Amino acid sequence: MAAFIASQRTEHSVPHAVACRALGVSESWFYKWRDRPPTRRDDRRVRLAAAVRKVFEDSGGTYGSPRIGSELREQGWQVSDNTIVHRRHFHTRTAARLKIGAWITDLYNRRRRHSVCDWRSPIDDERPETRDLEAQAA
């Protein structure tokens, strides 16, 4: 949040005091954050982001997060699948919503297995033929 507050002054000429007040944080908290040295966690985040970027660029931009994660694990990084995020900037919220909706319906709900669905994907669980086969087997 402090990085956001700092960016508002440079990008939009919003004084730190105004941004802090609008976000409900004290100015002393902001200045304490701004002047502190990076933590080990901050350093690790920067190094990990650089490693992710390098693996992605080395793949010619073709590797997705599972493959990037496995490459990083081979390099000795301890990462979870949620660690790897490819940031994408959208021009509008509508464009972001459409992309996220397409990802959920086209990829996530087709591959993700869920215990509530007897370890099938949600889309497979909702198909009538799946229910018909289950009814016949019972």
Side-chain angles (χ1 to χ4, degrees):
M1 183 180 329
F4 174 77
I5 292 169
S7 73
Q8 296 310 295
R9 182 173 193 111
T10 56
E11 294 174 14
H12 305 289
S13 300
V14 175
H16 296 144
V18 173
C20 287
R21 216 174 19 257
L23 294 170
V25 298
S26 70
E27 287 181 66
S28 62
W29 173 86
F30 167 73
Y31 289 113
K32 180 181 176 182
W33 172 88
R34 186 189 70 172
D35 296 333
R36 74 173 172 78
T39 63
R40 287 187 322 192
R41 187 177 190 179
D42 294 335
D43 290 339
R44 183 183 187 280
R45 266 195 198 131
V46 169
R47 289 191 327 271
L48 179 58
V52 168
R53 199 173 307 106
K54 181 173 179 357
V55 170
F56 183 72
E57 289 171 359
D58 288 351
S59 75
T62 60
Y63 283 3
S65 63
R67 193 130 178 219
I68 290 173
S70 66
E71 290 275 329
L72 291 175
R73 285 183 201 96
E74 288 175 15
Q75 295 176 16
W77 286 94
Q78 290 182 351
V79 295
S80 69
D81 289 337
N82 292 333
T83 302
I84 314 303
V85 176
H86 179 67
R87 293 178 190 233
R88 181 175 297 195
H89 298 280
F90 297 96
H91 294 291
T92 64
R93 285 183 180 219
T94 302
R97 286 184 181 120
L98 288 171
K99 188 69 172 176
I100 291 166
W103 179 80
I104 289 170
T105 57
D106 295 342
L107 179 67
Y108 187 69
N109 279 342
R110 292 182 192 276
R111 294 187 184 174
R112 175 180 62 101
R113 304 291 182 240
H114 199 284
S115 61
V116 173
C117 304
D118 291 327
W119 298 108
R120 290 187 304 268
S121 68
I123 204 147
D124 286 341
D125 189 58
E126 293 174 2
R127 288 192 175 134
E129 56 269 18
T130 303
R131 285 186 293 233
D132 292 344
L133 288 172
E134 285 180 349
Q136 289 172 4

